[in-house]
Amino acid sequence: MTSIPPATTTQALSSISERTATLAATAISQATGTAKVSCPGQTGKTVANAACCALFPLLSDLQTLFTIDVNDSQCPESARGFLRLAFHDAMGFSMTNPQIGDGADGSILTFSDTELSYKVNAGLVDKVTLLKPLGLAHNLSDGDVLHFAAAAGLATCPGAPSLSFLLGRPAAKRAASANMPGPALPTDDVTTILARFHDVGFTPDEVIALLAAHSTGSNYVLDPMAVQAPFDTTPEMFDSQFYIETLLPGKFGNESVSGEVQAQQPGIVRLQSDFLLARDSRTTCKWQGLMGNQAVMAAEFQSAMLKLQILGQDSSLLTDCSDVISPAPGLPNGVRPHIPAGYRFQDLDLSQTCSTSNPTPTTFIPSDPGSVTFASAE
Ligand code: CA
Ligand code: CA
């Protein structure tokens, strides 16, 4: 755990955040420009750093898991679930309270009996069960297994950026505290969410960028009547539909569920927290700026995820193994940002005025023809 220097909280956060970014950049640059080495006994597998060869057998096991969901070989539910699990592991962390936990250390696997009893970690047991045997099987720490699985999983989702993966997390030493707030709850207000992420080292813009994960996300436990209902109409694609659709009027869904508000069409679950973040004056301009802006959305998510996946780690001790994971496929031909049928661009809630440095979208987003349709989960 990095200790907080005797400075103001803001200074401390800034200092640690900058140091973390520098260390990460250093670790990554060490691999840049290095000749590739062939992995012994693994035909065709080459990496910049020989230590990374140990990850290919894990990758093979994960790819087998991803194909278990026979109906969705791209961006399967298991892969999307590993990304969610990585968030819940990493967010057991605080820059101001070292007792909260050690961040992206795999503690949610190592100490699963404890951490899965926390309300904030509800619905994660299936993914923990899948990953828990893999550390022992491949002689890797639980932290490395989990955060590699998240990166490898996202790489199955069309449109996703390549996440960096740094190898070498030591074994988790303790469970995150029962007081661990975890990632934001759907019932949280914007002030609470931004404060929570600030305490972990993220700016409001980075919070909005991290929410791109909801482009491939689904409801697990919030609404038991809509299990696996997605947050946008394209959960199998890492696109910007989540940002677009959350700004449309809400007409369908179960408002009686605390933390859920109505969505633009049936079959979609809209989180109250997403609804609020999309419209709050502190975050709406970033939100609007990511609508239909695939390249920026992917790049900012990639950058924020690197921070998230090394929270609590000394990245100068880690080895960049990002090259083990092949890049994700691009979005299919013809897939473009669009307004779902039944709505027009004018229906987007763009009522907040944004500055020229963070403008409202200037690119018109076309509508699908027809009337409102049911959005199927897969
Ligand atoms: Ca953890
Ligand atoms: Ca999507």
Side-chain angles (χ1 to χ4, degrees):
M1 171 65 65
T2 306
S3 61
I4 303 294
T8 65
T9 300
T10 302
Q11 288 170 328
L13 290 172
S14 174
S15 165
I16 293 173
S17 183
E18 287 170 8
R19 178 171 173 270
T20 301
T22 302
L23 290 173
T26 302
I28 288 174
S29 68
Q30 287 171 345
T32 305
T34 307
K36 293 273 186 178
V37 298
S38 295
C39 295
Q42 302 182 71
T43 306
K45 307 297 186 190
T46 61
V47 286
N49 192 313
C52 305
C53 291
L55 290 165
F56 283 109
L58 171 62
L59 180 63
S60 178
D61 277 2
L62 290 169
Q63 287 169 336
T64 299
L65 288 179
F66 296 148
T67 57
I68 289 174
D69 302 325
V70 291
N71 292 325
D72 50 0
S73 56
Q74 287 196 328
C75 209
E77 193 273 335
S78 54
R80 295 185 269 130
F82 293 154
L83 187 63
R84 178 170 179 252
L85 190 60
F87 268 85
H88 284 250
D89 178 52
M91 292 293 285
F93 186 75
S94 165
M95 285 187 163
T96 55
N97 181 0
Q99 301 307 312
I100 290 297
D102 296 330
D105 62 346
S107 62
I108 202 166
L109 296 183
T110 309
F111 302 99
S112 55
D113 288 350
T114 302
E115 292 200 25
L116 291 182
S117 70
Y118 304 158
K119 184 179 176 185
V120 293
N121 289 335
L124 292 169
V125 64
D126 290 351
K127 303 303 173 291
V128 167
T129 301
L130 288 174
L131 293 184
K132 207 170 162 73
L134 297 181
L136 189 61
H138 296 287
N139 194 29
L140 294 165
S141 71
D142 284 339
D144 282 343
V145 167
L146 170 52
H147 292 282
F148 183 78
L154 188 70
T156 69
C157 300
S162 297
L163 295 186
S164 300
F165 175 72
L166 305 185
L167 173 73
R169 292 167 185 77
K173 299 179 185 67
R174 57 176 178 163
S177 163
N179 297 322
M180 179 191 85
L185 293 171
T187 48
D188 286 342
D189 61 28
V190 172
T191 298
T192 301
I193 293 167
L194 296 183
R196 169 69 189 127
F197 277 84
H198 179 71
D199 187 43
V200 178
F202 290 102
T203 66
D205 282 358
E206 288 173 327
V207 173
I208 301 307
L210 284 172
L211 276 168
H214 281 187
S215 181
T216 61
S218 303
N219 163 66
Y220 281 81
V221 293
L222 180 69
D223 185 345
M225 300 300 290
V227 173
Q228 292 197 27
F231 300 138
D232 76 4
T233 53
T234 55
E236 75 287 359
M237 282 185 256
F238 190 90
D239 55 11
S240 70
Q241 287 304 121
F242 166 71
Y243 294 104
I244 296 169
E245 295 169 17
T246 309
L247 279 168
L248 289 170
K251 298 179 180 178
F252 305 92
N254 193 348
E255 278 195 310
S256 65
V257 174
S258 180
E260 183 178 353
V261 297
Q262 291 192 308
Q264 80 283 356
Q265 61 200 104
I268 297 291
V269 163
R270 182 180 294 179
L271 303 182
Q272 176 183 295
S273 49
D274 289 341
F275 171 90
L276 294 173
L277 285 161
R279 291 161 176 79
D280 190 274
S281 61
R282 291 163 286 185
T283 46
T284 189
C285 294
K286 172 52 66 179
W287 193 287
Q288 294 175 30
L290 297 184
M291 287 197 315
N293 205 340
Q294 181 75 18
V296 173
M297 180 192 74
E300 294 192 3
F301 181 74
Q302 180 187 48
S303 175
M305 280 302 294
L306 174 57
K307 274 177 78 170
L308 182 101
Q309 293 194 280
I310 57 171
L311 281 175
Q313 300 293 317
D314 181 350
S315 58
S316 68
L317 302 178
L318 304 179
T319 301
D320 181 20
C321 290
S322 306
D323 59 355
V324 171
I325 302 170
S326 299
L331 292 174
N333 285 338
V335 170
R336 298 284 183 273
H338 59 277
I339 308 283
Y343 296 93
R344 305 167 302 158
F345 186 82
Q346 294 86 338
D347 292 321
L348 294 168
D349 186 349
L350 307 178
S351 55
Q352 303 251 10
T353 302
C354 297
S355 69
T356 52
S357 62
N358 211 359
T360 51
T362 52
T363 305
F364 179 79
I365 301 172
S367 300
D368 287 346
S371 54
V372 174
T373 57
F374 184 87
S376 60
E378 299 294 343

